[in-house]
Amino acid sequence: MLNSAPSAKALTIGAVITSFGLVSAPLYAQAAAAQPQLQRSPVAPRIELVKAIVNEAYDKFKNEKGGKNADYIPVLAKVPSNLFGIAVATTDNHAYSVGDAAYSFSIQSMSKVFSLALAMEELGADTVFQKIGSEATGRPFNSVNAVVDMPTHTGNPMVNAGAIATVSLIPANTPDEKWSKILDFYAKAAGEKLTLLNDVYQSEAATNQGNQALAALLLKYNRIYADPSQSVDVYTKQCSVGVNAKQLAIMGATLANNGINPATGQRVIKAENVPHILSAMMTAGLYDSSGAWSWNVGLPAKSGVGGGIIAVVPGKGAIAVFAPPLDEQGNSLKAQKVIGYVAQKLDYDLFAPASVGLPASIGRGK
């Protein structure tokens, strides 16, 4: 099988921490303690092959132009549009990055994946599904009409209305407690401390009237489960968390590794919840171009208007790309091209027979 790893020993957690700086000091001890429990995925890719393909993709697309930064959040328009970074993390704790993969940017809507995961951890998948749903809207991510027209009104956890409702579901006594719980959960998924980008938060909070309107409309339909204004504020904060592509790749690899962070060995997400999360990502992770993404790339993914996209390859790992210019749907143009290229070269398309080791000639796009 093209992607199957040889029997050589995987890098130790300590080696990866030393090489890539992925885990902060407090979590290093935790990672070391957890190391004996880590099990190698039988389908983990060969890191040498992954590195080669990632380097090819970087060289192929680094000079591509097109798209523009999000400007409805003023601070995002000021991010240098030539920034470009790629990071990969595998389920057996290998990591590789190239370009501006250490540049911190706002997580934006990629946060929706992990707040969904937290809500499911707290309440169970069935409750979250009943309260939020998981149907594609076929509308822009901030659509008012989708809230009115869809039977669930919330649509799914990957659009703004559904994401705000998801935040409102997370149990907490106060908004500050909820925010702390969310930030701590993101940190567990990333394997290191994450922080709020206050300039992004202030810029978004001053321009989030559309999200406030969505929350008020959800209240009309009894589909928001805490104070609407407070829920929007916590949602705005979660979108303003700073991450880099390396951290995002680890967060994605945690999903690929059945909920266990491959760098720390800590279980972050219950194994039974992972398929539901990946399903939601496939359904609506790239908004109203999710169908085209599924058709052409075939991987669960989530974009953010800050310029990032994270894609998960179950059992194998994740790839995160940062490049700020977006297409009309709000997805990074360059990131889409990179992930599509890597997925095709490594037979990652989940709908292609080659992804499970059958002859590559059977797969799509060959």
Side-chain angles (χ1 to χ4, degrees):
M1 192 164 110
L2 179 62
N3 296 352
S4 293
S7 58
K9 276 189 174 182
L11 291 175
T12 65
I13 287 177
V16 173
I17 291 170
T18 302
S19 299
F20 300 105
L22 290 174
V23 182
S24 60
L27 287 173
Y28 179 85
Q30 181 180 349
Q35 184 178 355
Q37 301 175 8
L38 294 177
Q39 295 182 357
R40 179 177 174 78
S41 168
V43 294
R46 298 202 312 266
I47 191 62
E48 296 82 5
L49 178 59
V50 173
K51 287 180 180 180
I53 298 302
V54 167
N55 286 334
E56 282 182 20
Y58 183 81
D59 290 339
K60 182 177 178 67
F61 298 110
K62 63 183 178 182
N63 295 319
E64 289 248 344
K65 306 297 182 184
K68 68 173 186 175
N69 288 30
D71 56 11
Y72 70 95
I73 301 170
V75 72
L76 298 186
K78 300 176 183 178
V79 177
S81 60
N82 62 337
L83 290 170
F84 178 38
I86 307 172
V88 293
T90 68
T91 52
D92 58 344
N93 199 22
H94 288 67
Y96 181 70
S97 63
V98 62
D100 301 307
Y103 183 92
S104 183
F105 62 99
S106 56
I107 191 171
Q108 295 298 330
S109 284
M110 292 178 289
S111 66
K112 296 170 180 175
V113 173
F114 300 96
S115 288
L116 169 64
L118 175 57
M120 292 170 69
E121 291 294 302
E122 298 272 344
L123 301 169
D126 290 345
T127 296
V128 173
F129 183 76
Q130 291 165 6
K131 299 284 188 180
I132 308 297
S134 190
E135 300 298 333
T137 68
R139 310 282 181 86
F141 61 85
N142 54 359
S143 173
V144 171
N145 288 338
V147 177
V148 175
D149 294 343
M150 294 199 67
T152 64
H153 304 293
T154 43
N156 64 73
M158 302 295 125
V159 296
N160 287 15
I164 293 166
T166 300
V167 168
S168 76
L169 266 181
I170 296 170
N173 293 319
T174 66
D176 285 345
E177 180 186 325
K178 182 175 296 192
W179 163 235
S180 295
K181 183 181 289 190
I182 289 171
L183 191 60
D184 288 346
F185 188 79
Y186 290 8
K188 290 177 183 177
E192 57 185 287
K193 182 180 179 181
L194 300 176
T195 59
L196 179 76
L197 298 179
N198 192 58
D199 60 336
V200 178
Y201 168 65
Q202 294 296 335
S203 186
E204 288 204 50
T207 56
N208 68 359
Q209 290 83 6
N211 284 336
Q212 294 177 35
L214 291 175
L217 194 55
L218 290 173
L219 182 62
K220 171 185 176 181
Y221 295 111
N222 296 314
R223 294 293 281 183
I224 195 164
Y225 309 103
D227 180 86
S229 295
Q230 293 176 354
S231 298
V232 170
D233 187 60
V234 174
Y235 171 74
T236 304
K237 286 180 178 176
Q238 79 171 38
C239 290
S240 304
V241 170
V243 291
N244 60 46
K246 291 180 180 181
Q247 293 164 334
L248 278 173
I250 291 291
M251 295 172 83
T254 297
L255 286 165
N257 199 34
N258 217 22
I260 297 174
N261 184 313
T264 66
Q266 181 182 16
R267 175 164 293 285
V268 180
I269 301 166
K270 294 173 184 174
E272 61 266 29
N273 290 340
V274 171
H276 301 300
I277 297 165
L278 297 182
S279 170
M281 293 171 72
M282 186 69 85
T283 299
L286 271 74
Y287 306 122
D288 43 331
S289 62
S290 296
W293 175 265
S294 179
W295 179 287
N296 292 309
V297 181
L299 288 177
K302 187 70 196 81
S303 64
V305 296
I309 297 181
I310 183 173
V312 178
V313 191
K316 299 178 181 180
I319 178 169
V321 184
F322 169 57
L326 312 177
D327 64 13
E328 291 183 359
Q329 286 74 37
N331 306 311
S332 170
L333 270 172
K334 198 176 287 188
Q336 291 177 77
K337 292 180 179 181
V338 167
I339 297 171
Y341 181 86
V342 172
Q344 190 271 328
K345 288 289 185 177
L346 294 175
D347 292 319
Y348 280 169
D349 182 340
L350 298 183
F351 302 108
S355 69
V356 291
L358 295 178
S361 60
I362 300 176
R364 295 188 298 189
K366 302 295 182 182

